[in-house]
Amino acid sequence: MGTSAVAFTLGTTLAWINERTNTPMRRLFYTLSIVPLIIPGILFTISWIMLASPKIGLINLVMQSWFGLDSPPFNIYSMGGMIWVDGLHYSPLAFLLMSAAFRAMDPSLEESATMSGSGVLNTLYRITLKLALPAILATVLTLFIEAIASFEVPALLGLPAGIQVFTSAIYQSIHQYPSQIGLAAAYSVILLMLTTGGIYIQSRISSSGSKYSTVTGKGFRPRTIDLGKWRFFTLGIFIVYFLLIVVLPFFVLLWSSLQKFYAPPSMAALQNITLDGYRYVFASSNIRDAALNSLWMSVTTATVVMLLASVISWIVVKTKIPGRWLLDNMASLPMVFPGLVLGVSIMIFYLTFDIGIYGTFWIILLAYVTRFMPYGLRYSTTSMIQIHKDLEESAGMSGASWFTVFRRIILPLLKPGLIAGWIYVMIVSIRELSTSILLYSPGNEVISVMIWELWENGQYVELSALSVMFILMLLVLVGLAQAAGKRFGVKEG
């Protein structure tokens, strides 16, 4: 709940500033909001360890130096530290969700309240937030589900401090000697029940939110609130937030990657700048193999997911086969499984029913396809609904087989949705850790697992160099995704 509260408070505040005020450069900030979503959770957590660790944290060292403190003011290895890092990490998600809610809301009631003498904060509390209540509840539940399934922060920050949550307890149960798979399964079932309950409540809220509707057939043009001189204060909030969530984490990783051994920024440390970390990354056959594994795994996952999703969406949307709703529900079911729980279930199943894929690439690929199928289905179903059945019937009357119709008509018309889904699935699978960490074997590591192993081995410089290159690669992939979207007509929602 702490993570949800921090993420929601930050995200909603920034969304309101962005959508309802005349803060300068707010559109630029909305565009930049996608950047924090690209940074994998493990890298974000590691960067904050380097920023707020009691011994080596850059922020702690600066605060002690400036204010003459005897002890570090922040301890990232604590429940508060875990909540802070996870809350920051999920706040862009809250920002995007609440921005959409504020943007779709007719502001006439807010304008009426302002004309009646209500202050900005009073209008926000009495009108805006109450109208956005379904979106607020749905956003909080989404953040709760994401936070309770989080693995990187509990593992990297909680375990060293002796603080356990479900995901870290599952990991420890599997990796201790001897492994307690039964205990891990028990933890997984409880975690699955919590996430399933959260998703069920979220769906009920979404289906019963009509009484809060403010979007009607009448057009409206939102009028922003003139903050006067305070608009520079809200601009400062944007800048500080972006520093905390992007600039400082990336800077500390970049700085660490240029050192012979990790040392906080100083004039003395400037004398030790070297590219040895990057040389190690390029020379390491293990890292090179992990990068190729990640690339192969992500491309294959995205291709298989979107092909299967297109067939499933065709059956569900275009046919009258009895029980087709069951196929839709089964394909969407993995959405309730946290990554670690899915990894445990697949591991136990293929240890029990050995068909020769445990310890190979195929079990990781199967886990990825299973986990990301609901996302591919969402993209393909949305596009499939827009294709009229007359096109298929005309081709069928001309003698075309089902396969020909699907290949020559359905797939080309689905192209924008398929490309958008393919790009999204590829990006999220290439940074996946929680599922991979339980299923990989020596020689089958992916990039996220390699980063985990470098951290456990204390190779902070090499880890930082790999992290910088990984983040830059993800940024390039997102840039290519946007270019592909414009080229093939994938519209941003």
Side-chain angles (χ1 to χ4, degrees):
M1 289 303 296
T3 293
S4 304
V6 170
F8 174 78
T9 301
L10 287 173
T12 303
T13 301
L14 294 168
W16 180 80
I17 293 173
N18 191 75
E19 297 296 332
R20 285 291 190 264
T21 73
N22 63 337
T23 300
M25 298 190 295
R26 62 188 188 280
R27 298 308 172 197
L28 174 62
F29 179 80
Y30 186 87
T31 303
L32 294 175
S33 64
I34 194 175
V35 175
L37 298 175
I38 299 170
I39 302 176
I42 185 173
L43 299 185
F44 190 76
T45 308
I46 289 173
S47 66
W48 268 97
I49 291 175
M50 295 179 177
L51 286 169
S53 168
K55 294 183 179 179
I56 64 171
L58 174 61
I59 295 176
N60 279 326
L61 294 175
V62 170
M63 295 285 284
Q64 286 180 276
S65 174
W66 285 2
F67 300 103
L69 302 177
D70 295 328
S71 59
F74 306 110
N75 181 13
I76 204 69
Y77 296 105
S78 62
M79 180 59 72
M82 293 169 62
I83 290 174
W84 171 252
V85 175
D86 240 0
L88 270 183
H89 187 231
Y90 290 119
S91 60
L93 176 61
F95 169 77
L96 293 176
L97 292 174
M98 291 306 299
S99 288
F102 288 142
R103 192 181 306 121
M105 185 190 304
D106 187 345
S108 58
L109 294 176
E110 300 167 273
E111 293 171 358
S112 299
T114 302
M115 292 175 64
S116 301
S118 176
V120 173
L121 295 180
N122 186 55
T123 301
L124 172 65
Y125 174 72
R126 301 290 296 274
I127 306 292
T128 309
L129 294 182
K130 290 187 177 181
L131 288 175
L133 185 59
I136 290 173
L137 294 176
T139 300
V140 170
L141 280 169
T142 300
L143 295 171
F144 173 77
I145 294 167
E146 293 288 338
I148 202 171
S150 173
F151 169 68
E152 293 89 345
V153 168
L156 293 175
L157 300 182
L159 289 181
I163 302 172
Q164 277 199 346
V165 297
F166 281 114
T167 51
S168 57
I170 292 169
Y171 175 78
Q172 276 201 319
S173 300
I174 297 294
H175 282 267
Q176 68 182 15
Y177 183 81
S179 296
Q180 296 186 357
I181 296 179
L183 180 60
Y187 283 131
S188 299
V189 169
I190 298 173
L191 183 55
L192 181 61
M193 291 173 63
L194 290 172
T195 56
T196 303
I199 290 176
Y200 173 75
I201 296 172
Q202 183 185 32
S203 65
R204 292 297 299 270
I205 292 172
S206 299
S207 63
S208 61
S210 57
K211 63 181 179 179
Y212 295 91
S213 299
T214 62
V215 180
T216 65
K218 299 179 180 179
F220 63 86
R221 178 177 297 176
R223 186 171 64 187
T224 57
I225 299 171
D226 185 2
L227 297 178
K229 294 181 179 179
W230 286 97
R231 68 185 186 277
F232 298 108
F233 174 75
T234 53
L235 175 62
I237 293 176
F238 276 158
I239 294 173
V240 170
Y241 174 77
F242 196 71
L243 285 173
L244 290 175
I245 204 167
V246 174
V247 177
L248 283 177
F250 185 78
F251 168 77
V252 76
L253 289 173
L254 179 62
W255 171 263
S256 175
S257 70
L258 297 174
Q259 297 293 300
K260 294 180 179 178
F261 52 87
Y262 180 75
S266 65
M267 295 303 297
L270 280 173
Q271 308 302 318
N272 297 324
I273 286 182
T274 176
L275 296 177
D276 287 348
Y278 293 94
R279 295 190 186 99
Y280 175 89
V281 170
F282 283 111
S284 173
S285 59
N286 290 335
I287 294 178
R288 184 168 57 250
D289 291 343
L292 292 175
N293 291 344
S294 289
L295 183 62
W296 179 86
M297 197 76 68
S298 61
V299 170
T300 306
T301 297
T303 303
V304 172
V305 163
M306 295 314 301
L307 286 176
L308 288 177
S310 62
V311 174
I312 293 172
S313 63
W314 181 83
I315 293 174
V316 172
V317 175
K318 298 297 184 182
T319 73
K320 297 181 180 180
I321 298 175
R324 63 188 183 278
W325 60 271
L326 184 60
L327 180 62
D328 185 29
N329 289 344
M330 289 180 62
S332 302
L333 184 62
M335 187 170 290
V336 306
F337 281 78
L340 209 65
V341 173
L342 182 63
V344 170
S345 61
I346 289 178
M347 180 187 68
I348 293 175
F349 181 84
Y350 286 104
L351 282 174
T352 306
F353 301 96
D354 187 11
I355 60 173
I357 68 171
Y358 187 81
T360 68
F361 283 118
W362 302 109
I363 194 170
I364 302 178
L365 178 62
L366 179 66
Y368 281 13
V369 170
T370 302
R371 183 173 187 196
F372 299 121
M373 179 61 70
Y375 303 102
L377 196 62
R378 180 179 178 184
Y379 279 95
S380 60
T381 300
T382 302
S383 299
M384 186 70 71
I385 292 173
Q386 298 174 350
I387 301 176
H388 201 280
K389 196 172 180 63
D390 288 350
L391 296 173
E392 302 173 66
E393 293 175 350
S394 299
M397 292 176 63
S398 301
S401 64
W402 175 87
F403 181 76
T404 301
V405 172
F406 192 79
R407 180 174 59 89
R408 300 291 297 274
I409 296 177
I410 300 297
L411 287 181
L413 292 174
L414 284 178
K415 184 171 65 174
L418 291 181
I419 291 175
W422 189 91
I423 291 169
Y424 177 79
V425 172
M426 186 190 70
I427 291 174
V428 294
S429 60
I430 205 172
R431 43 177 288 199
E432 169 60 26
L433 173 65
S434 57
T435 303
S436 315
I437 198 70
L438 296 181
L439 299 176
Y440 82 97
S441 57
N444 296 336
E445 297 93 345
V446 291
I447 282 290
S448 56
V449 172
M450 184 59 63
I451 291 172
W452 175 271
E453 290 186 346
L454 289 173
W455 175 260
E456 289 199 321
N457 294 335
Q459 296 176 267
Y460 303 138
V461 172
E462 294 80 3
L463 177 153
S464 300
L466 178 59
S467 299
V468 169
M469 296 172 64
F470 190 35
I471 292 172
L472 293 177
M473 181 193 71
L474 289 173
L475 288 172
V476 170
L477 287 176
V478 171
L480 293 175
Q482 292 179 337
K486 293 178 181 178
R487 170 67 176 84
F488 294 103
V490 182
K491 304 299 182 184
E492 295 181 0

